[in-house]
Amino acid sequence: MIKHRFLLLSFFFCFTFLGAQVNSLSSSELLLQIKKLNTLGKVLYIAAHPDDENTRLLAYLANEKKFRTAYLSITRGDGGQNLIGKEQGAALGVLRTQELLAARKVDKAEQFFTRAVDFGYSKLAEETFVFWDRRSVLSDVVYIIRTFQPDVIICRFPTTGEGGHGHHTASALLAAEAFEAAADPKQFPEQLNETSVWKTKRLFWNTFNFGNTNTTSPQQLQIDVGVYNALLGKNYGEIASESRSCHKSQGFGVARQRGKNIEFFKQLKGDSVSKDPFEALSTSWNQLPGGEAIQNNLDQCIREFKVEAPEASVPLLVTIYKQIAALDETKPQVLYWKKQKLKELESILLSCAGLWLEVSCSDYKGLPGEEVNFTTQIIKRSDAPVSLNSLRFLKQNDTLCNLPLEQNQLYSFKRKETLSGELPYTSPYWLNRIAEQNYRALPEAPSPTQVDFQLDVGGLALSVQRDLIYKSTDPVKGEVYRPFEILPALTVNCKEKAVVFMNGNSKTLLFTIKANRAYLKGQLSVNTSEGWTCKIQHPEFLLEKSGDEVTVEVLVECGKNMKEGQLYAKVSCEGQNYNLEVQRIEYDHVPYQFILSPATVKLINTEVKTKAMNIAYIDGAGDEIPQALKQLGYEVTVLSDEQLSKSDLSVYPAIVTGVRAYNSNKRLQVHYPKLMDYVKSGGNLIVQYNTNNNLGQLKTNIGPYPFTISRDRVTDEKAQVKFSDAKLPVFSYPNTITTADFENWVQERGIYFATDIDSNYVAPLSMSDPGENPKNGSLIIGAYGKGNFVYTGLAFFRQLPAGVPGAYRLFVNLLHLPKH
């Protein structure tokens, strides 16, 4: 544990994020970094989710004020929606973590998290703390404050609820409480073994003007963050746009803003200021004993910096490095800045010397205890004196080089090494509660596979690490990088995480076994909960090549009166058992990611009546509804734009649109007349939720009669549901729906309900969160001609993949609404 704590504290002083190879900076970027090296100030920004951060302010603080700046997101955004794919829950949290890291690479701030899980929308902080362990999350915030040691903390949201979302209010309450607790040695004293109490000087609320909520006022402190940075060639509105547009899963692409832009601040705690949140902060080296000489040398380095020859600064930067390294470590604040600035200065020296270092593997994956082939490369693109003294591969023995590097000469070293048999498999550390404590608050765990370069730069010995990566060449994308993965020899996946059995029937499940090395011979076995039985006719397999796959059929039979169960799969091979499945998360805007988790399948037996028919589906932003419907025996045809234009839609008794289909597919407004004709002729059109806000303005009709899509929602998944008329067909055919069908729903009842509903629609359901008036827009049905139009904000996109029986039964009834 001591080793992990040292690693964790060291990483808090790391200047770059994991997974990326550090490339040389341009001369203008280098000059900016040297100026930043000359500034000793720290700001921590706190909010609830990925995309809550004020990227304009972060960019300004990190690059104009040159403070060490970080964003603490209380959650990783696990409970949100996904505009670009099907990931939900933990997988969405992994994706949004990487989107935050991509944003920080743009605005140059750093990124931290707590252990809190985003469980979806909540309306009150009190509700939020029912799901979050307030004391544990507060402990994380206190730990980050004590370790990062900010001079100023800024909240995105107030403690009084104007932020709307209960998570937003909770984040501000945690920040205010942690502001005091971090300075109190009686609070979380166990942390003081590895850090120390810290008194932040001030706490502010960064007030806002969102939509109809304006919390700014002329009396508040103000900063113009719309200024232009000549070294970057952009103003901070432009940088903020690039940073915010990294949140692609949330549809947060925004236009570049130019010109004056005022940010407002209301002070909540700390010593009072009158003009500027940062007034009277001492941010020069002169505040530290021995810092005056460092300050003078850095001032000289900035004055004499040569844009066309940054290597000319290497000798003076080496002197500064040695001066910082010689500082007295007995004073905590000196030790803090010594660690931080040496790490920053290392990166600056490498770039000034024109150094580029990389370690690439011949395959994107490796196995514990197996050999890997990789190539280590280094090039010096300047005349600065640099020698490569030695290389240490994967924390094993050093290879002595004693090699003076020639200018612009690429050196390559091919190597074969055996990975440690103790290496853990790659997977997001926060999904493993044991590993979570080792890397507390960090965005990612450090890579366990690195090469150490022992360098001499201008007479200064530096130890520089580079992670193993995999790179390939794509004929369209060009050079493509991806992280190096540590995997088990075999993975076993079932396509469905929840399988629905209708009325006690049996089903054949398909398990895909994939080899991550050559020639693997074994067999699949499964265990189930009591009352369920499984048969595998051909469990044995042979996979001759790495990457080969085989599909094994498992017949699962439901016992009498069984409701739910679990299936556990494992593969036996060469005396080892493998029971992990892999879920890949692959997008071009972030590094490829994946999750390893136990290979389990949820088994649900429910009484649901269906009628065989072919359903058409129009894709939206991404959901698993088509797969869920196929489990019930329906044929599902996903309609392309060409099919929508040319096909005879009358062959489909029902057409379903995916979530946010009208937001993500602008062509649907073209097809509106044809879809309405389809309904008029007797078809059922079921439209799942869409948004009508800044994330997706709807400028088209959806239904035959008017209604408005609102932000109304019911977040309590246990909220009471009332029927307007239990005899309506939607509640009686082919399944009888009762309030029991709304039991065991997950995360929420529904979102983006209909309002301003035309009288031609029937609103058969009403529901509300505690203390609120009933809302009747979760489901509306309108008879039009011979058919039916349905709009529903009910969260079927969560309930069906989770195997909620009542949600299946209600959805089936929507498909079978009778003709008129």
Side-chain angles (χ1 to χ4, degrees):
M1 178 61 76
I2 294 175
K3 178 180 178 182
H4 286 306
R5 286 174 178 168
F6 176 78
L7 181 62
L8 174 58
L9 290 171
S10 298
F11 194 77
F12 261 89
F13 295 91
C14 192
F15 188 67
T16 56
F17 292 115
L18 294 165
Q21 300 297 311
V22 182
N23 294 317
S24 297
L25 302 173
S26 69
S27 286
S28 61
E29 292 170 325
L30 267 173
L31 181 55
L32 179 60
Q33 291 305 316
I34 295 172
K35 289 184 174 184
K36 193 168 184 176
L37 191 65
N38 207 18
T39 304
L40 280 61
K42 300 152 289 180
V43 179
L44 180 64
Y45 199 87
I46 300 179
H49 310 107
D51 73 38
D52 283 344
E53 76 274 23
N54 184 336
T55 54
R56 185 169 51 240
L57 180 59
L58 290 179
Y60 173 86
L61 294 173
N63 298 283
E64 190 69 24
K65 299 295 287 186
K66 304 175 187 67
F67 294 149
R68 186 183 183 199
T69 305
Y71 173 45
L72 168 56
S73 178
I74 300 296
T75 75
R76 295 176 185 264
D78 328 57
Q81 285 90 51
N82 185 354
L83 192 65
I84 62 174
K86 299 179 181 180
E87 291 81 10
Q88 296 293 333
L92 181 59
V94 172
L95 173 58
R96 296 185 73 182
T97 294
Q98 291 301 317
E99 290 181 334
L100 268 179
L101 294 181
R104 297 295 80 81
K105 289 176 185 177
V106 174
D107 57 40
K108 306 306 179 188
E110 299 172 54
Q111 185 63 53
F112 300 118
F113 295 95
T114 76
R115 76 189 75 183
V117 175
D118 179 5
F119 57 87
Y121 194 91
S122 67
K123 296 177 180 177
L124 299 171
E126 292 78 9
E127 179 190 356
T128 300
F129 288 125
V130 170
F131 290 87
W132 294 353
D133 183 329
R134 184 170 185 165
R135 189 70 179 165
S136 296
V137 180
L138 175 63
S139 171
D140 290 344
V141 180
V142 169
Y143 181 83
I144 292 164
I145 291 173
R146 286 174 172 174
T147 310
F148 187 75
Q149 300 181 6
D151 299 306
V152 173
I153 296 174
I154 301 173
C155 297
R156 169 78 283 191
F157 302 106
T159 60
T160 46
E162 293 92 333
H165 199 316
H167 295 188
H168 295 169
T169 306
S171 72
L173 290 168
L174 288 165
E177 195 172 348
F179 179 88
E180 304 289 352
D184 185 352
K186 295 180 181 179
Q187 295 284 347
F188 309 106
E190 69 282 358
Q191 296 179 4
L192 302 181
N193 294 326
E194 52 189 280
T195 185
S196 59
V197 294
W198 179 255
K199 179 61 178 176
T200 303
K201 294 179 175 63
R202 299 157 197 157
L203 174 67
F204 293 93
W205 166 28
N206 178 201
T207 59
F208 51 79
N209 185 357
F210 296 157
N212 297 322
T213 304
N214 185 1
T215 61
T216 66
S217 73
Q219 292 74 37
Q220 294 171 356
L221 299 176
Q222 301 176 31
I223 300 176
D224 180 8
V225 300
V227 296
Y228 176 75
N229 189 316
L231 294 177
L232 297 176
K234 301 171 184 176
N235 70 8
Y236 294 109
E238 294 173 291
I239 296 171
S241 165
E242 295 173 16
S243 175
R244 193 156 187 76
S245 296
C246 292
H247 295 294
K248 299 186 188 305
S249 69
Q250 304 307 295
F252 269 20
V254 293
R256 292 179 174 85
Q257 297 181 351
R258 299 173 179 87
K260 189 174 184 179
N261 210 307
I262 303 298
E263 292 291 340
F264 295 81
F265 303 87
K266 181 178 180 180
Q267 187 161 6
L268 303 178
K269 290 178 180 287
D271 54 278
S272 297
V273 294
S274 58
K275 296 181 180 179
D276 186 317
F278 314 108
E279 69 183 55
L281 288 184
S282 177
T283 61
S284 74
W285 281 96
N286 293 331
Q287 66 180 290
L288 301 182
E292 183 177 354
I294 297 170
Q295 181 84 46
N296 292 336
N297 279 335
L298 278 168
D299 289 341
Q300 178 185 346
C301 188
I302 292 167
R303 288 195 307 270
E304 297 177 355
F305 184 80
K306 297 180 179 179
V307 174
E308 295 185 355
E311 66 271 19
S313 298
V314 168
L316 186 51
L317 289 171
V318 167
T319 298
I320 294 168
Y321 189 102
K322 292 177 178 178
Q323 288 176 318
I324 296 174
L327 289 174
D328 182 7
E329 294 186 0
T330 59
K331 298 180 184 293
Q333 197 56 7
V334 174
L335 177 61
Y336 176 97
W337 283 117
K338 178 177 179 177
K339 288 183 176 180
Q340 176 63 22
K341 293 303 180 181
L342 287 179
K343 197 66 183 177
E344 293 179 24
L345 189 45
E346 176 187 295
S347 177
I348 292 169
L349 272 167
L350 297 180
S351 288
C352 282
L355 283 169
W356 176 87
L357 309 90
E358 183 178 88
V359 188
S360 60
C361 294
S362 59
D363 194 357
Y364 70 87
K365 62 185 182 298
L367 279 62
E370 301 277 331
E371 287 186 337
V372 291
N373 295 292
F374 54 90
T375 300
T376 301
Q377 293 186 312
I378 183 170
I379 186 171
K380 184 195 70 166
R381 296 166 292 189
S382 77
D383 62 2
V386 178
S387 294
L388 175 61
N389 293 335
S390 65
L391 292 167
R392 174 173 290 183
F393 299 95
L394 308 181
K395 301 180 181 180
Q396 298 179 23
N397 296 330
D398 289 357
T399 297
L400 298 178
C401 301
N402 297 322
L403 177 66
L405 302 181
E406 299 292 332
Q407 183 172 353
N408 212 32
Q409 174 69 47
L410 179 64
Y411 297 88
S412 295
F413 307 91
K414 293 190 180 296
R415 187 84 172 191
K416 179 184 290 186
E417 290 284 350
T418 301
L419 296 173
S420 167
E422 303 300 316
L423 278 179
Y425 300 138
T426 308
S427 200
Y429 79 85
W430 62 91
L431 301 179
N432 179 336
R433 291 305 177 190
I434 298 175
E436 182 179 43
Q437 296 305 308
N438 296 334
Y439 310 114
R440 187 178 189 178
L442 302 182
E444 300 178 290
S447 170
T449 52
Q450 294 181 329
V451 170
D452 294 342
F453 294 76
Q454 302 298 323
L455 301 171
D456 183 294
V457 180
L460 176 68
L462 290 178
S463 179
V464 179
Q465 291 75 43
R466 289 293 181 265
D467 298 347
L468 268 66
I469 53 91
Y470 174 75
K471 66 178 182 180
S472 58
T473 303
D474 183 275
V476 175
K477 302 173 186 176
E479 193 171 65
V480 178
Y481 285 78
R482 66 184 291 175
F484 181 68
E485 304 172 2
I486 306 297
L487 294 174
L490 292 158
T491 57
V492 53
N493 279 56
C494 183
K495 187 175 182 180
E496 311 295 343
K497 288 298 292 178
V499 178
V500 176
F501 293 75
M502 296 186 297
N503 312 311
N505 65 338
S506 62
K507 281 199 170 185
T508 297
L509 307 189
L510 302 180
F511 286 84
T512 300
I513 302 168
K514 183 171 182 177
N516 292 313
R517 69 171 171 85
Y519 203 83
L520 291 170
K521 184 178 182 180
Q523 65 178 22
L524 173 71
S525 62
V526 296
N527 292 316
T528 58
S529 305
E530 186 177 355
W532 301 77
T533 59
C534 295
K535 297 178 182 178
I536 309 176
Q537 189 169 359
H538 301 290
E540 296 82 9
F541 64 86
L542 172 62
L543 298 171
E544 296 186 349
K545 299 177 183 177
S546 176
D548 281 356
E549 297 180 358
V550 63
T551 299
V552 178
E553 295 183 352
V554 178
L555 178 66
V556 182
E557 296 180 340
C558 176
K560 186 177 181 180
N561 299 324
M562 297 305 300
K563 295 297 183 183
E564 289 191 5
Q566 289 282 342
L567 182 150
Y568 308 89
K570 70 176 180 180
V571 176
S572 301
C573 177
E574 299 176 351
Q576 298 290 323
N577 292 324
Y578 301 94
N579 66 342
L580 296 177
E581 66 177 15
V582 60
Q583 179 183 4
R584 295 209 167 266
I585 305 157
E586 298 182 350
Y587 294 93
D588 288 343
H589 68 292
V590 296
Y592 285 1
Q593 301 292 304
F594 67 95
I595 298 172
L596 288 174
S597 59
T600 62
V601 180
K602 183 179 180 181
L603 308 174
I604 305 105
N605 180 39
T606 183
E607 294 183 7
V608 56
K609 298 175 183 177
T610 64
K611 291 176 62 178
M613 64 182 189
N614 189 357
I615 298 165
Y617 201 84
I618 301 172
D619 275 336
D623 58 57
E624 302 284 354
I625 299 296
Q627 294 89 325
L629 296 178
K630 289 178 182 178
Q631 288 200 48
L632 299 181
Y634 292 110
E635 291 185 38
V636 180
T637 301
V638 178
L639 297 179
S640 65
D641 185 72
E642 183 178 6
Q643 287 172 305
L644 269 172
S645 299
K646 299 179 180 179
S647 296
D648 177 9
L649 300 183
S650 66
V651 301
Y652 306 109
I655 298 176
V656 181
T657 68
V659 297
R660 291 185 176 181
Y662 286 83
N663 297 125
S664 58
N665 184 354
K666 303 306 179 186
R667 290 281 298 169
L668 285 182
Q669 62 185 327
V670 176
H671 300 302
Y672 173 78
K674 185 171 184 178
L675 289 171
M676 291 303 100
D677 287 343
Y678 162 80
V679 176
K680 194 172 184 179
S681 299
N684 289 335
L685 176 61
I686 298 103
V687 175
Q688 296 185 84
Y689 89 88
N690 287 263
T691 65
N692 194 16
N693 55 27
N694 61 315
L695 300 186
Q697 289 289 337
L698 281 181
K699 300 178 180 179
T700 182
N701 294 321
I702 295 180
Y705 316 114
F707 67 94
T708 300
I709 296 174
S710 72
R711 292 185 63 82
D712 287 353
R713 62 182 70 206
V714 173
T715 62
D716 183 357
E717 67 272 25
K718 298 178 182 179
Q720 183 181 10
V721 178
K722 296 181 179 180
F723 299 172
S724 64
D725 182 357
K727 296 179 181 179
L728 289 172
V730 69
F731 299 134
S732 58
Y733 182 79
N735 299 286
T736 300
I737 303 298
T738 69
T739 54
D741 287 296
F742 288 89
E743 295 176 357
N744 301 316
W745 282 45
V746 297
Q747 186 160 319
E748 60 206 349
R749 287 294 190 204
I751 53 181
Y752 300 107
F753 289 1
T755 55
D756 304 323
I757 303 167
D758 187 88
S759 60
N760 285 292
Y761 291 108
V762 173
L765 298 174
S766 68
M767 58 190 72
S768 65
D769 280 318
E772 294 187 350
N773 292 326
K775 296 179 174 62
N776 65 351
S778 65
L779 175 65
I780 61 173
I781 303 171
Y784 182 62
K786 297 180 180 179
N788 301 279
F789 171 85
V790 175
Y791 174 81
T792 179
L794 292 171
F796 289 113
F797 72 101
R798 295 195 195 280
Q799 313 310 321
L800 269 59
V804 177
Y808 270 97
R809 289 157 50 82
L810 179 57
F811 203 93
V812 167
N813 283 16
L814 293 175
L815 297 175
H816 293 282
L817 287 171
K819 291 184 179 183
H820 302 285

